[in-house]
C-alpha cells in the first residue's frame, strides 16, 4: 500500500496534463485564439487631429498679422543699436498694398509716454549735435516702393543724465509716414536721459 502523500501529488499533475492536451486540441482544430486588445491613446490625446501639437502651452512662432493701413504703408521698429549711451533705432516702412508708393522726406515723428501722451522732445533733422556720422542722413530723396519693398529712417539720441533736468522717457513712437497719412504707433523705449534731443533721418533705401 502506497503512502497517501504520493496520491495527492499525482492528482494535480494529471489535471495539468489534461488541460495542456485540451489547449493543443483547440489549436489543431484551427479555432481562433483571443488576441490582446490594443491600448488606445490617453484621453487627453484622443481628441487631437492629425498635425495638432500635443502640448497646447507651446509658444507659437507665427508673428502677428498687422492690418494694412489705407495709405498702403505700415511702419514698424527695425534693428536698434545701443553703445556708450548712444542709441540708434531704425524705422522700417513697408509697402503692404498692391500699388507702387513713393515716399520723399522725413517721417512726422512724435514721442509718447506709457499713457500715450506727448513727450516734449527737440527734434533735429540729421543728428550733427548728437553723433559724428556724416552718413546718418542723406537728406530727402524720392524712394519708390513696389509692393513688399521697404524704406528706412533712423532715430538717434543719447541717454545722458545730468543735474540740469529730469529724465525723459517715451514708450511709443507715433509715426505719420507721409504728409496727411494716419498716424501709427510703434512700441519702443526712447530713453532720452536729460538731453531731450532726438535726431531724425529722411526715408531712404535700405543698405545692401
Amino acid at each position: 500500500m502506497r503512502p497517501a502523500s504520493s496520491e495527492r501529488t499525482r492528482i494535480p499533475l494529471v489535471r495539468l496534463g489534461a488541460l495542456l492536451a485540451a489547449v493543443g486540441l483547440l489549436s489543431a482544430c484551427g479555432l481562433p485564439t483571443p488576441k490582446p486588445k490594443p491600448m488606445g491613446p490617453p484621453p487627453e490625446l484622443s481628441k487631437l487631429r492629425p498635425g495638432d501639437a500635443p502640448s497646447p502651452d507651446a509658444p507659437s512662432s507665427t508673428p502677428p498679422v498687422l492690418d494694412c493701413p489705407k495709405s498702403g504703408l505700415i511702419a514698424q521698429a527695425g534693428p536698434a543699436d545701443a553703445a556708450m549711451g548712444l542709441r540708434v533705432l531704425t524705422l522700417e516702412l513697408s509697402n503692404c498694398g498692391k500699388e507702387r508708393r513713393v515716399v520723399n522726406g522725413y517721417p512726422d515723428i512724435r514721442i509718447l509716454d506709457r499713457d500715450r501722451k506727448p513727450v516734449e522732445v527737440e527734434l533735429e533733422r540729421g543728428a550733427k549735435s548728437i553723433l559724428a556720422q556724416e552718413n546718418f542722413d542723406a537728406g530727402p530723396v524720392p524712394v519708390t516702393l513696389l509692393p513688399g519693398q521697404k524704406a528706412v529712417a533712423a532715430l538717434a539720441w543719447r541717454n545722458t543724465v545730468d543735474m540740469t533736468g529730469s529724465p525723459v522717457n517715451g514708450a511709443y513712437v507715433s509715426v505719420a509716414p507721409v504728409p496727411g497719412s494716419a498716424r501709427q504707433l510703434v512700441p519702443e523705449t526712447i530713453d532720452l536721459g536729460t538731453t531731450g534731443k532726438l535726431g531724425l533721418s529722411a526715408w531712404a533705401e535700405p543698405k545692401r
Side-chain angles (χ1 to χ4, degrees), residues 41-83:
E44 64 272 13
L45 297 183
S46 61
K47 297 181 181 179
L48 293 178
R49 297 170 298 177
D52 288 344
S55 176
D57 297 330
S60 174
S61 59
T62 304
V65 178
L66 301 177
D67 293 332
C68 187
K70 292 183 179 180
S71 64
L73 300 170
I74 188 167
Q76 295 177 281
D81 186 18

Side-chain angles (χ1 to χ4, degrees), residues 14-187:
V14 172
R15 290 179 180 175
L16 177 59
L19 179 61
L20 294 176
V23 173
L25 181 60
L26 291 175
S27 300
C29 293
L31 294 179
T33 56
K35 297 181 179 180
K37 295 182 179 180
M39 296 182 62
E44 64 272 13
L45 297 183
S46 61
K47 297 181 181 179
L48 293 178
R49 297 170 298 177
D52 288 344
S55 176
D57 297 330
S60 174
S61 59
T62 304
V65 178
L66 301 177
D67 293 332
C68 187
K70 292 183 179 180
S71 64
L73 300 170
I74 188 167
Q76 295 177 281
D81 186 18
M84 301 297 292
L86 176 64
R87 313 281 198 260
V88 178
L89 171 67
T90 300
L91 288 178
E92 296 181 344
L93 187 66
S94 302
N95 182 354
C96 55
K98 298 180 180 180
E99 300 179 359
R100 182 180 63 176
R101 307 286 179 176
V102 178
V103 294
N104 187 6
Y106 295 85
D108 184 357
I109 296 293
R110 298 176 188 174
I111 305 300
L112 309 181
D113 61 15
R114 292 183 178 180
D115 298 326
R116 301 188 180 185
K117 295 181 180 179
V119 173
E120 186 175 353
V121 174
E122 180 183 346
L123 276 175
E124 178 183 349
R125 292 188 173 183
K128 292 183 179 180
S129 65
I130 300 173
L131 72 165
Q133 289 186 8
E134 298 295 334
N135 61 346
F136 176 77
D137 180 27
V141 176
V143 180
T144 300
L145 300 178
L146 299 177
Q149 290 185 333
K150 294 181 180 181
V152 295
L155 302 177
W157 68 95
R158 288 192 178 275
N159 178 238
T160 303
V161 178
D162 54 28
M163 303 301 293
T164 60
S166 301
V168 176
N169 293 308
Y172 298 92
V173 180
S174 176
V175 185
V178 294
S181 64
R183 307 194 71 84
Q184 304 176 35
L185 283 183
V186 178

